Amino acid sequence: MLTHHVSHKGERHHPLWLEITRIVLSLVILWKGIEFIANIHVFTDIMMNSSVPVAILMSVLVHTIIVAHIFGAIALFTGSYVRIACILQMPVILMALLFRDLAKDVLNPYAAVWVSIAILCALVLVLWRDKHDFIDRDRLRNKV
């Protein structure tokens, strides 16, 4: 199964600029995930002053964001499951943009709105190109 997936990945022939964009995007997302972990004390302070349901919800949210960033960055870096990784990153980035007032204090890794916008644009580009290349490859295979 893994060798089949790797051979399909090699057949895609993505342009070099797209591969570089995907790798740089994965490194930025990994960096943001590490920054998020480094600033987890802010969430801990908020959770201590919150009711139990809110604290549990925040804990689940924080851990989901961390897991999405770490595994998403690994998937993007290796080039496997690129579409799934992009789709899982998008809600995190969109929430950071929607709650940008919280970003200054709580979501410190996303304090710069332009960074979130750049990441979101890069995710959309990589997702669109990956899907587009996949459809083109299937069309070429069906013609042969």
Side-chain angles (χ1 to χ4, degrees):
M1 179 76 175
L2 181 62
T3 56
H4 180 66
H5 178 71
V6 171
S7 69
H8 277 300
K9 187 69 181 163
E11 293 174 3
R12 286 191 176 170
H13 304 293
H14 285 132
L16 181 60
W17 67 267
L18 183 62
E19 294 296 323
I20 291 170
T21 302
R22 180 182 50 79
I23 290 170
V24 169
L25 177 62
S26 71
L27 294 174
V28 169
I29 289 173
L30 181 64
W31 167 55
K32 290 298 183 181
I34 292 169
E35 267 190 353
F36 204 86
I37 293 169
N39 292 319
I40 204 164
H41 66 298
V42 176
F43 283 103
T44 306
D45 294 341
I46 292 172
M47 286 188 286
M48 293 197 133
N49 297 325
S50 300
S51 65
V52 173
V54 172
I56 291 172
L57 180 65
M58 286 188 69
S59 177
V60 169
L61 180 67
V62 167
H63 288 88
T64 302
I65 291 170
I66 292 170
V67 168
H69 275 336
I70 302 300
F71 287 121
I74 292 169
L76 284 169
F77 188 81
T78 60
S80 57
Y81 305 105
V82 171
R83 281 180 268 166
I84 293 171
C86 288
I87 290 169
L88 291 177
Q89 296 300 312
M90 286 181 184
V92 175
I93 304 302
L94 285 171
M95 287 298 120
L97 287 169
L98 290 175
F99 297 109
R100 66 177 175 249
D101 292 335
L102 284 176
K104 294 173 187 162
D105 300 323
V106 178
L107 302 173
N108 194 20
Y110 302 103
V113 173
W114 65 270
V115 173
S116 296
I117 292 171
I119 291 171
L120 186 62
C121 290
L123 284 169
V124 169
L125 174 70
V126 169
L127 177 66
W128 182 77
R129 284 301 304 226
D130 190 70
K131 182 179 179 187
H132 178 71
D133 289 348
F134 182 77
I135 291 169
D136 285 349
R137 186 191 76 215
D138 284 347
R139 284 185 190 156
L140 288 173
R141 187 172 289 165
N142 290 335
K143 286 183 180 180
V144 174

